[in-house]
Amino acid sequence: MPELVVEVSRADFVLVTLFLGGGAAWLTGRSIATTWRPYRQAALYALLLGCVVRFFHFALFEGTLLSLHYFLTDTAFLVAIATLGFRAERARQMSTRYGWIYRQSGLFGWLEGGGGTRSGAPAGEP
């Protein structure tokens, strides 16, 4: 059932959607998080990237330009990648900028309980 995701060829899908679009979506999510803007902007930009990816499929590989099914497929992937880029950068930011409060938990999350101690408190006390 790859025809539900791939319109023209697998190589076309990998090059345009995964490599070019996914890379742009990852960098978009990271840049939105770096500038402390809300997540909804990353989702909006991923939607615009979905339009660009659909146009590339049409212009380079003779795909269908106005195909709602393939547009939604490409855009869902791009939103997911933009979300991962956003969360990875936000987790890094929270653990480095607010290290006394938060510590990084995995690639995409953070937890309360920083690595440092309070100013003026002995090393054994919280």
mmCIF file of all heavy atoms in Angstrom, residues 71-109:
data_model
loop_
_atom_site.group_PDB
_atom_site.id
_atom_site.type_symbol
_atom_site.label_atom_id
_atom_site.label_comp_id
_atom_site.label_asym_id
_atom_site.label_seq_id
_atom_site.Cartn_x
_atom_site.Cartn_y
_atom_site.Cartn_z
ATOM 1 N N PHE A 71 -1.177 16.166 -0.419
ATOM 2 C CA PHE A 71 -0.823 17.362 0.342
ATOM 3 C C PHE A 71 -0.919 17.081 1.842
ATOM 4 O O PHE A 71 -0.021 17.439 2.611
ATOM 5 C CB PHE A 71 -1.734 18.536 -0.038
ATOM 6 C CG PHE A 71 -1.584 19.725 0.869
ATOM 7 C CD1 PHE A 71 -0.464 20.539 0.784
ATOM 8 C CD2 PHE A 71 -2.539 20.019 1.815
ATOM 9 C CE1 PHE A 71 -0.312 21.630 1.629
ATOM 10 C CE2 PHE A 71 -2.405 21.105 2.658
ATOM 11 C CZ PHE A 71 -1.286 21.913 2.570
ATOM 12 N N LEU A 72 -2.009 16.440 2.269
ATOM 13 C CA LEU A 72 -2.166 16.119 3.685
ATOM 14 C C LEU A 72 -1.118 15.122 4.162
ATOM 15 O O LEU A 72 -0.617 15.233 5.291
ATOM 16 C CB LEU A 72 -3.576 15.587 3.951
ATOM 17 C CG LEU A 72 -4.714 16.593 3.783
ATOM 18 C CD1 LEU A 72 -6.059 15.905 3.985
ATOM 19 C CD2 LEU A 72 -4.546 17.759 4.738
ATOM 20 N N THR A 73 -0.764 14.174 3.308
ATOM 21 C CA THR A 73 0.267 13.195 3.659
ATOM 22 C C THR A 73 1.615 13.885 3.866
ATOM 23 O O THR A 73 2.285 13.677 4.881
ATOM 24 C CB THR A 73 0.392 12.131 2.560
ATOM 25 O OG1 THR A 73 -0.863 11.498 2.388
ATOM 26 C CG2 THR A 73 1.437 11.094 2.924
ATOM 27 N N ASP A 74 2.008 14.711 2.908
ATOM 28 C CA ASP A 74 3.283 15.426 3.008
ATOM 29 C C ASP A 74 3.281 16.375 4.200
ATOM 30 O O ASP A 74 4.249 16.445 4.960
ATOM 31 C CB ASP A 74 3.567 16.215 1.729
ATOM 32 C CG ASP A 74 3.817 15.335 0.528
ATOM 33 O OD1 ASP A 74 4.149 14.145 0.723
ATOM 34 O OD2 ASP A 74 3.693 15.836 -0.605
ATOM 35 N N THR A 75 2.187 17.100 4.373
ATOM 36 C CA THR A 75 2.112 18.098 5.443
ATOM 37 C C THR A 75 2.108 17.445 6.820
ATOM 38 O O THR A 75 2.730 17.971 7.751
ATOM 39 C CB THR A 75 0.883 18.988 5.248
ATOM 40 O OG1 THR A 75 0.946 19.585 3.953
ATOM 41 C CG2 THR A 75 0.824 20.083 6.289
ATOM 42 N N ALA A 76 1.443 16.312 6.966
ATOM 43 C CA ALA A 76 1.449 15.616 8.258
ATOM 44 C C ALA A 76 2.866 15.208 8.636
ATOM 45 O O ALA A 76 3.285 15.344 9.793
ATOM 46 C CB ALA A 76 0.539 14.391 8.200
ATOM 47 N N PHE A 77 3.617 14.714 7.655
ATOM 48 C CA PHE A 77 5.005 14.355 7.915
ATOM 49 C C PHE A 77 5.817 15.593 8.306
ATOM 50 O O PHE A 77 6.595 15.557 9.262
ATOM 51 C CB PHE A 77 5.615 13.687 6.680
ATOM 52 C CG PHE A 77 7.079 13.425 6.818
ATOM 53 C CD1 PHE A 77 7.530 12.372 7.582
ATOM 54 C CD2 PHE A 77 8.000 14.247 6.204
ATOM 55 C CE1 PHE A 77 8.882 12.142 7.738
ATOM 56 C CE2 PHE A 77 9.345 14.019 6.351
ATOM 57 C CZ PHE A 77 9.803 12.969 7.115
ATOM 58 N N LEU A 78 5.627 16.696 7.593
ATOM 59 C CA LEU A 78 6.395 17.906 7.867
ATOM 60 C C LEU A 78 6.047 18.503 9.231
ATOM 61 O O LEU A 78 6.931 18.992 9.937
ATOM 62 C CB LEU A 78 6.174 18.930 6.756
ATOM 63 C CG LEU A 78 6.673 18.504 5.381
ATOM 64 C CD1 LEU A 78 6.276 19.523 4.329
ATOM 65 C CD2 LEU A 78 8.167 18.286 5.392
ATOM 66 N N VAL A 79 4.781 18.460 9.610
ATOM 67 C CA VAL A 79 4.390 18.950 10.935
ATOM 68 C C VAL A 79 5.036 18.093 12.026
ATOM 69 O O VAL A 79 5.521 18.614 13.041
ATOM 70 C CB VAL A 79 2.850 18.989 11.083
ATOM 71 C CG1 VAL A 79 2.434 19.195 12.524
ATOM 72 C CG2 VAL A 79 2.259 20.068 10.203
ATOM 73 N N ALA A 80 5.069 16.786 11.816
ATOM 74 C CA ALA A 80 5.695 15.897 12.804
ATOM 75 C C ALA A 80 7.193 16.201 12.945
ATOM 76 O O ALA A 80 7.710 16.276 14.069
ATOM 77 C CB ALA A 80 5.482 14.441 12.401
ATOM 78 N N ILE A 81 7.881 16.388 11.836
ATOM 79 C CA ILE A 81 9.317 16.684 11.899
ATOM 80 C C ILE A 81 9.570 18.059 12.503
ATOM 81 O O ILE A 81 10.499 18.238 13.301
ATOM 82 C CB ILE A 81 9.957 16.565 10.496
ATOM 83 C CG1 ILE A 81 9.843 15.125 10.004
ATOM 84 C CG2 ILE A 81 11.400 17.018 10.502
ATOM 85 C CD1 ILE A 81 10.556 14.114 10.863
ATOM 86 N N ALA A 82 8.753 19.049 12.161
ATOM 87 C CA ALA A 82 8.890 20.383 12.755
ATOM 88 C C ALA A 82 8.649 20.326 14.261
ATOM 89 O O ALA A 82 9.335 21.005 15.038
ATOM 90 C CB ALA A 82 7.934 21.364 12.097
ATOM 91 N N THR A 83 7.700 19.511 14.676
ATOM 92 C CA THR A 83 7.427 19.338 16.105
ATOM 93 C C THR A 83 8.630 18.725 16.817
ATOM 94 O O THR A 83 9.012 19.168 17.917
ATOM 95 C CB THR A 83 6.190 18.454 16.309
ATOM 96 O OG1 THR A 83 5.072 19.078 15.678
ATOM 97 C CG2 THR A 83 5.892 18.235 17.776
ATOM 98 N N LEU A 84 9.231 17.720 16.214
ATOM 99 C CA LEU A 84 10.421 17.105 16.822
ATOM 100 C C LEU A 84 11.577 18.100 16.917
ATOM 101 O O LEU A 84 12.277 18.151 17.931
ATOM 102 C CB LEU A 84 10.836 15.869 16.026
ATOM 103 C CG LEU A 84 9.870 14.691 16.052
ATOM 104 C CD1 LEU A 84 10.377 13.573 15.151
ATOM 105 C CD2 LEU A 84 9.663 14.198 17.465
ATOM 106 N N GLY A 85 11.788 18.880 15.872
ATOM 107 C CA GLY A 85 12.842 19.897 15.911
ATOM 108 C C GLY A 85 12.573 20.942 16.980
ATOM 109 O O GLY A 85 13.476 21.368 17.702
ATOM 110 N N PHE A 86 11.317 21.364 17.101
ATOM 111 C CA PHE A 86 10.920 22.345 18.113
ATOM 112 C C PHE A 86 11.166 21.804 19.519
ATOM 113 O O PHE A 86 11.755 22.479 20.359
ATOM 114 C CB PHE A 86 9.443 22.695 17.925
ATOM 115 C CG PHE A 86 8.927 23.740 18.869
ATOM 116 C CD1 PHE A 86 9.020 25.081 18.552
ATOM 117 C CD2 PHE A 86 8.349 23.375 20.073
ATOM 118 C CE1 PHE A 86 8.542 26.050 19.421
ATOM 119 C CE2 PHE A 86 7.866 24.326 20.946
ATOM 120 C CZ PHE A 86 7.959 25.673 20.619
ATOM 121 N N ARG A 87 10.719 20.567 19.762
ATOM 122 C CA ARG A 87 10.870 19.990 21.097
ATOM 123 C C ARG A 87 12.327 19.726 21.459
ATOM 124 O O ARG A 87 12.729 19.907 22.604
ATOM 125 C CB ARG A 87 10.067 18.689 21.209
ATOM 126 C CG ARG A 87 8.572 18.882 21.251
ATOM 127 C CD ARG A 87 8.133 19.552 22.503
ATOM 128 N NE ARG A 87 8.457 18.710 23.647
ATOM 129 C CZ ARG A 87 8.075 18.943 24.885
ATOM 130 N NH1 ARG A 87 7.350 19.988 25.152
ATOM 131 N NH2 ARG A 87 8.419 18.143 25.860
ATOM 132 N N ALA A 88 13.115 19.285 20.498
ATOM 133 C CA ALA A 88 14.526 19.026 20.778
ATOM 134 C C ALA A 88 15.233 20.318 21.159
ATOM 135 O O ALA A 88 16.011 20.354 22.127
ATOM 136 C CB ALA A 88 15.201 18.385 19.566
ATOM 137 N N GLU A 89 14.970 21.384 20.437
ATOM 138 C CA GLU A 89 15.611 22.669 20.749
ATOM 139 C C GLU A 89 15.087 23.242 22.052
ATOM 140 O O GLU A 89 15.857 23.783 22.851
ATOM 141 C CB GLU A 89 15.388 23.655 19.603
ATOM 142 C CG GLU A 89 16.049 24.989 19.817
ATOM 143 C CD GLU A 89 17.563 24.919 19.905
ATOM 144 O OE1 GLU A 89 18.161 23.970 19.374
ATOM 145 O OE2 GLU A 89 18.166 25.832 20.513
ATOM 146 N N ARG A 90 13.793 23.136 22.306
ATOM 147 C CA ARG A 90 13.232 23.678 23.544
ATOM 148 C C ARG A 90 13.765 22.918 24.758
ATOM 149 O O ARG A 90 14.062 23.508 25.800
ATOM 150 C CB ARG A 90 11.707 23.619 23.480
ATOM 151 C CG ARG A 90 10.966 24.252 24.629
ATOM 152 C CD ARG A 90 11.304 25.721 24.897
ATOM 153 N NE ARG A 90 11.255 26.599 23.768
ATOM 154 C CZ ARG A 90 10.211 27.307 23.365
ATOM 155 N NH1 ARG A 90 9.079 27.219 24.019
ATOM 156 N NH2 ARG A 90 10.302 28.103 22.321
ATOM 157 N N ALA A 91 13.927 21.604 24.643
ATOM 158 C CA ALA A 91 14.489 20.822 25.751
ATOM 159 C C ALA A 91 15.930 21.244 26.022
ATOM 160 O O ALA A 91 16.340 21.379 27.180
ATOM 161 C CB ALA A 91 14.424 19.331 25.425
ATOM 162 N N ARG A 92 16.696 21.473 24.959
ATOM 163 C CA ARG A 92 18.067 21.930 25.130
ATOM 164 C C ARG A 92 18.098 23.312 25.776
ATOM 165 O O ARG A 92 18.878 23.571 26.690
ATOM 166 C CB ARG A 92 18.784 21.972 23.780
ATOM 167 C CG ARG A 92 20.288 22.216 23.907
ATOM 168 C CD ARG A 92 20.907 22.557 22.582
ATOM 169 N NE ARG A 92 20.401 23.801 22.030
ATOM 170 C CZ ARG A 92 20.754 25.022 22.434
ATOM 171 N NH1 ARG A 92 21.594 25.169 23.427
ATOM 172 N NH2 ARG A 92 20.241 26.088 21.866
ATOM 173 N N GLN A 93 17.217 24.203 25.348
ATOM 174 C CA GLN A 93 17.157 25.548 25.913
ATOM 175 C C GLN A 93 16.812 25.507 27.398
ATOM 176 O O GLN A 93 17.435 26.213 28.198
ATOM 177 C CB GLN A 93 16.070 26.375 25.215
ATOM 178 C CG GLN A 93 16.439 26.904 23.878
ATOM 179 C CD GLN A 93 15.265 27.637 23.266
ATOM 180 O OE1 GLN A 93 14.138 27.158 23.297
ATOM 181 N NE2 GLN A 93 15.544 28.785 22.712
ATOM 182 N N MET A 94 15.813 24.755 27.750
ATOM 183 C CA MET A 94 15.362 24.728 29.139
ATOM 184 C C MET A 94 16.441 24.175 30.061
ATOM 185 O O MET A 94 16.609 24.653 31.179
ATOM 186 C CB MET A 94 14.084 23.904 29.269
ATOM 187 C CG MET A 94 12.896 24.488 28.538
ATOM 188 S SD MET A 94 12.427 26.126 29.094
ATOM 189 C CE MET A 94 11.561 25.722 30.584
ATOM 190 N N SER A 95 17.178 23.179 29.580
ATOM 191 C CA SER A 95 18.197 22.590 30.446
ATOM 192 C C SER A 95 19.460 23.438 30.509
ATOM 193 O O SER A 95 20.155 23.414 31.524
ATOM 194 C CB SER A 95 18.535 21.178 29.985
ATOM 195 O OG SER A 95 19.118 21.209 28.704
ATOM 196 N N THR A 96 19.775 24.200 29.492
ATOM 197 C CA THR A 96 20.993 25.024 29.536
ATOM 198 C C THR A 96 20.733 26.403 30.130
ATOM 199 O O THR A 96 21.521 26.888 30.925
ATOM 200 C CB THR A 96 21.612 25.187 28.141
ATOM 201 O OG1 THR A 96 20.655 25.736 27.248
ATOM 202 C CG2 THR A 96 22.108 23.863 27.613
ATOM 203 N N ARG A 97 19.630 27.022 29.775
ATOM 204 C CA ARG A 97 19.364 28.373 30.275
ATOM 205 C C ARG A 97 18.793 28.374 31.679
ATOM 206 O O ARG A 97 18.971 29.340 32.415
ATOM 207 C CB ARG A 97 18.421 29.093 29.321
ATOM 208 C CG ARG A 97 19.091 29.331 27.997
ATOM 209 C CD ARG A 97 18.486 30.476 27.262
ATOM 210 N NE ARG A 97 19.309 30.758 26.098
ATOM 211 C CZ ARG A 97 18.894 30.640 24.849
ATOM 212 N NH1 ARG A 97 17.663 30.258 24.626
ATOM 213 N NH2 ARG A 97 19.693 30.913 23.856
ATOM 214 N N TYR A 98 18.054 27.344 32.022
ATOM 215 C CA TYR A 98 17.452 27.235 33.348
ATOM 216 C C TYR A 98 17.937 25.967 34.026
ATOM 217 O O TYR A 98 17.152 25.203 34.595
ATOM 218 C CB TYR A 98 15.925 27.244 33.236
ATOM 219 C CG TYR A 98 15.404 28.467 32.531
ATOM 220 C CD1 TYR A 98 14.877 28.387 31.253
ATOM 221 C CD2 TYR A 98 15.465 29.708 33.137
ATOM 222 C CE1 TYR A 98 14.414 29.505 30.599
ATOM 223 C CE2 TYR A 98 15.013 30.842 32.487
ATOM 224 C CZ TYR A 98 14.486 30.734 31.213
ATOM 225 O OH TYR A 98 14.034 31.857 30.573
ATOM 226 N N GLY A 99 19.234 25.763 34.004
ATOM 227 C CA GLY A 99 19.832 24.546 34.551
ATOM 228 C C GLY A 99 19.634 24.372 36.041
ATOM 229 O O GLY A 99 19.688 23.254 36.540
ATOM 230 N N TRP A 100 19.403 25.450 36.770
ATOM 231 C CA TRP A 100 19.189 25.336 38.205
ATOM 232 C C TRP A 100 17.774 24.844 38.519
ATOM 233 O O TRP A 100 17.497 24.433 39.631
ATOM 234 C CB TRP A 100 19.446 26.678 38.899
ATOM 235 C CG TRP A 100 18.468 27.754 38.562
ATOM 236 C CD1 TRP A 100 17.347 28.086 39.253
ATOM 237 C CD2 TRP A 100 18.524 28.636 37.447
ATOM 238 N NE1 TRP A 100 16.691 29.110 38.633
ATOM 239 C CE2 TRP A 100 17.402 29.476 37.515
ATOM 240 C CE3 TRP A 100 19.399 28.810 36.390
ATOM 241 C CZ2 TRP A 100 17.143 30.459 36.576
ATOM 242 C CZ3 TRP A 100 19.145 29.797 35.465
ATOM 243 C CH2 TRP A 100 18.037 30.608 35.553
ATOM 244 N N ILE A 101 16.868 24.882 37.532
ATOM 245 C CA ILE A 101 15.494 24.418 37.734
ATOM 246 C C ILE A 101 15.237 23.104 37.006
ATOM 247 O O ILE A 101 14.611 22.201 37.547
ATOM 248 C CB ILE A 101 14.483 25.471 37.235
ATOM 249 C CG1 ILE A 101 14.670 26.786 37.967
ATOM 250 C CG2 ILE A 101 13.053 24.977 37.415
ATOM 251 C CD1 ILE A 101 13.818 27.911 37.399
ATOM 252 N N TYR A 102 15.721 23.004 35.756
ATOM 253 C CA TYR A 102 15.385 21.877 34.899
ATOM 254 C C TYR A 102 16.624 21.110 34.464
ATOM 255 O O TYR A 102 17.704 21.665 34.370
ATOM 256 C CB TYR A 102 14.651 22.347 33.636
ATOM 257 C CG TYR A 102 13.386 23.095 33.913
ATOM 258 C CD1 TYR A 102 13.285 24.451 33.654
ATOM 259 C CD2 TYR A 102 12.279 22.444 34.429
ATOM 260 C CE1 TYR A 102 12.127 25.142 33.903
ATOM 261 C CE2 TYR A 102 11.112 23.128 34.687
ATOM 262 C CZ TYR A 102 11.043 24.476 34.425
ATOM 263 O OH TYR A 102 9.890 25.157 34.671
ATOM 264 N N ARG A 103 16.420 19.837 34.178
ATOM 265 C CA ARG A 103 17.454 19.039 33.552
ATOM 266 C C ARG A 103 16.819 18.328 32.366
ATOM 267 O O ARG A 103 15.624 18.054 32.356
ATOM 268 C CB ARG A 103 18.051 18.029 34.534
ATOM 269 C CG ARG A 103 17.073 17.027 35.084
ATOM 270 C CD ARG A 103 17.736 16.067 36.063
ATOM 271 N NE ARG A 103 16.756 15.290 36.770
ATOM 272 C CZ ARG A 103 16.189 14.180 36.296
ATOM 273 N NH1 ARG A 103 16.522 13.736 35.132
ATOM 274 N NH2 ARG A 103 15.288 13.543 37.003
ATOM 275 N N GLN A 104 17.632 18.075 31.364
ATOM 276 C CA GLN A 104 17.108 17.450 30.156
ATOM 277 C C GLN A 104 16.802 15.983 30.411
ATOM 278 O O GLN A 104 17.563 15.272 31.051
ATOM 279 C CB GLN A 104 18.095 17.592 29.004
ATOM 280 C CG GLN A 104 17.487 17.251 27.677
ATOM 281 C CD GLN A 104 18.280 17.802 26.509
ATOM 282 O OE1 GLN A 104 19.233 18.527 26.703
ATOM 283 N NE2 GLN A 104 17.877 17.442 25.315
ATOM 284 N N SER A 105 15.659 15.540 29.905
ATOM 285 C CA SER A 105 15.231 14.156 30.046
ATOM 286 C C SER A 105 15.001 13.606 28.646
ATOM 287 O O SER A 105 13.950 13.799 28.054
ATOM 288 C CB SER A 105 13.944 14.085 30.861
ATOM 289 O OG SER A 105 13.440 12.779 30.855
ATOM 290 N N GLY A 106 16.007 12.956 28.105
ATOM 291 C CA GLY A 106 15.906 12.463 26.740
ATOM 292 C C GLY A 106 16.149 13.575 25.740
ATOM 293 O O GLY A 106 16.541 14.687 26.088
ATOM 294 N N LEU A 107 15.884 13.296 24.498
ATOM 295 C CA LEU A 107 16.125 14.270 23.449
ATOM 296 C C LEU A 107 15.045 15.338 23.393
ATOM 297 O O LEU A 107 15.309 16.475 23.026
ATOM 298 C CB LEU A 107 16.225 13.554 22.097
ATOM 299 C CG LEU A 107 16.549 14.410 20.881
ATOM 300 C CD1 LEU A 107 17.908 15.089 21.054
ATOM 301 C CD2 LEU A 107 16.527 13.570 19.627
ATOM 302 N N PHE A 108 13.806 15.004 23.790
ATOM 303 C CA PHE A 108 12.689 15.909 23.576
ATOM 304 C C PHE A 108 12.020 16.419 24.847
ATOM 305 O O PHE A 108 10.964 17.051 24.760
ATOM 306 C CB PHE A 108 11.619 15.214 22.719
ATOM 307 C CG PHE A 108 12.151 14.717 21.416
ATOM 308 C CD1 PHE A 108 12.244 13.359 21.175
ATOM 309 C CD2 PHE A 108 12.571 15.584 20.438
ATOM 310 C CE1 PHE A 108 12.728 12.884 19.975
ATOM 311 C CE2 PHE A 108 13.063 15.131 19.240
ATOM 312 C CZ PHE A 108 13.141 13.774 19.002
ATOM 313 N N GLY A 109 12.571 16.186 26.013
ATOM 314 C CA GLY A 109 11.884 16.608 27.223
ATOM 315 C C GLY A 109 12.819 17.132 28.296
ATOM 316 O O GLY A 109 14.038 17.067 28.175
#
